[in-house]
Amino acid sequence: MNTIQEENSCVTGEYKDIVLSRLESFIRENGFVKNNIINLFQSLDINKELQDYINNNNISLKELSDVVSDVKNYMLSLSLVLQKYQWKQKPQKINEMDTSINIILKNNLSFIENFIENKRKKFYDTITDIIKRNNIMELREFMQKNDISLSDLSTESYDLLVYAIENNISDDIIRLILSHYPTLNYYFFDNEEGTEVEKSPLSSAIAEDNFKLADLLIQNKADINYKLFFNDIIKNLTINKLLDDKNLKYILNKGFHIKYVNLESSLIYELIKASYPSYFIEIVFKHFIFDNDFILNFLHYYKNKERLSHRQLSHIIKKEKSKISIKDRWYNTAIEFGALDAIDIFIEYDIRKEDAILNLIKKKIE
């Protein structure tokens, strides 16, 4: 095997020797010492070298991924090494050495990353075929034979757990897949007919109205308030036309936070834009305003025969309604999309004076 040192004798070797020596130490310190894996990052024939290395050393996909991750971290420190030795070299020499290091590390690293991704996709396709048959024994055997953790088969564009959820795979297999995931609070971008859709395991289960499975995910610490990209789960389902009254009520009852309702560009705004019926907005308002706690407080007054003045009662009701702050933008959007029923709901819960509300509406219409 030819190395960069042998092929680039015209370049001063001091800096390269330092970098390669530190890279080798870095890899060894992190426990990746299988038969000089450092050679993979020096090789001029990386295709053959990588195939030979994997065949001869029985290295798993996860081990190789870990090495790549650590080498990436190491590369971030190269600039510091370069700065330390810049004062010894002329600018031309620095550029030559930097180019040499790029060849050693960046090109080979990119090749190895592509190899890992292709291998991962092949494993993913094989496993999806296995779980379609709901054959848990075959799945276990394949995992053991190939030393695979199922969570390693998830990328920014596909995910095994979400695939299982959306394809009605058996509960036993889903539980097995779950056991391999360190967290359920993540999302990826699924390409559906040319459109990227942000998905998480919990959002996928709820979108399918599979509340039994959603309960299982929540029991395993999936967070109902986890944001997918920049959107809360209700807003995400609304934008992707996956929200219905059943899953909306489920999400609210599982502890969805009111702070996401009170944003100006919140789910209320998106419900109007997506032309959802106004009763979806009413479901949200009724969940948070005049809720069970409010009713229990009034029962407490009644039980203890505490009389409330008209002023006290008005104050309590106003305070309760103020849990959700009606935004001008919601009125404007409702007018723009002709959502008259939504405007009625906003007026009912808006604690501002009627004149101020009517002037706002009139100004928008004019």
Side-chain angles (χ1 to χ4, degrees), residues 87-121:
W87 64 275
K88 293 183 179 180
Q89 305 292 341
K90 295 179 180 179
Q92 182 180 355
K93 288 291 185 183
I94 292 295
N95 291 335
E96 288 174 347
M97 289 187 290
D98 190 41
T99 299
S100 176
I101 295 304
N102 283 342
I103 294 172
I104 296 170
L105 295 177
K106 292 183 180 179
N107 292 349
N108 287 358
L109 187 61
S110 177
F111 183 93
I112 296 171
E113 284 184 299
N114 288 335
F115 173 87
I116 291 171
E117 179 52 36
N118 291 335
K119 193 78 171 177
R120 179 185 285 119
K121 189 62 169 67

Side-chain angles (χ1 to χ4, degrees), residues 162 166 186-192 195-208 223-244 247-248 251 256 260-261 263 265-271 274 276 280:
V162 169
E166 294 183 345
Y186 67 90
Y187 66 89
F188 73 104
F189 294 93
D190 194 9
N191 193 306
E192 294 188 350
T195 301
E196 283 192 337
V197 178
E198 302 95 339
K199 293 181 178 180
S200 71
L202 187 57
S203 73
S204 296
I206 292 175
E208 298 284 329
D223 185 358
I224 200 74
N225 289 301
Y226 175 74
K227 297 184 80 171
L228 292 80
F229 201 35
F230 294 110
N231 298 323
D232 61 73
I233 191 168
I234 296 179
K235 191 173 178 180
N236 171 271
L237 295 178
T238 302
I239 292 171
N240 294 306
K241 299 295 181 71
L242 296 170
L243 191 72
D244 57 45
N247 57 33
L248 173 58
I251 294 168
F256 186 78
Y260 296 126
V261 180
L263 298 173
S265 296
S266 73
L267 58 98
I268 303 296
Y269 170 76
E270 293 297 341
L271 283 169
Y276 271 82
F280 279 75

